[in-house]
Amino acid sequence: MNAPVKLAITLDRLALRQRAEISSIDWTAMSDNEGARLRALGLDEGVSVEKLHKGMFGFNDPIALRIGRMMIAIRKSHASAISVVLPA
């Protein structure tokens, strides 16, 4: 039996209130300091995230995420460097 294929999308395109798992992060799309900050906040491959809110006025920046019991805000440019897969 074949395993179901999980479709990956970037975190900035994830629907609001949707949960997903981080499948990969393009660390080269951000500075070393920005990458270290995101890692310190708990963003890494395999982590479960939920997109809670996005910025106003069509800019969609920043994006609020729930990681565990913590809520953080990241830039849309960083969210576009993070690939996620939806739960099966």
Side-chain angles (χ1 to χ4, degrees):
M1 178 179 251
N2 292 334
V5 176
K6 293 184 177 182
L7 188 60
I9 60 171
T10 56
L11 185 54
D12 61 317
R13 303 182 121 212
L14 187 66
L16 290 179
R17 297 291 178 183
Q18 178 70 50
R19 292 177 189 247
E21 182 178 303
I22 297 175
S23 59
S24 66
I25 301 174
D26 180 7
W27 296 112
T28 62
M30 56 194 84
S31 73
D32 290 340
N33 288 339
E34 292 167 332
R37 178 184 155 270
L38 293 180
R39 282 186 188 98
L41 291 172
L43 283 170
D44 212 345
E45 286 87 358
V47 171
S48 178
V49 297
E50 179 183 1
K51 186 174 176 181
L52 299 175
H53 305 283
K54 56 186 178 177
M56 298 170 50
F57 307 117
F59 296 110
N60 299 330
D61 207 11
I63 295 172
L65 305 173
R66 176 174 291 138
I67 301 173
R69 296 184 308 163
M70 181 175 51
M71 185 167 81
I72 66 167
I74 65 172
R75 294 180 176 147
K76 183 179 178 183
S77 61
H78 295 151
S80 66
I82 300 172
S83 295
V84 297
V85 291
L86 302 177

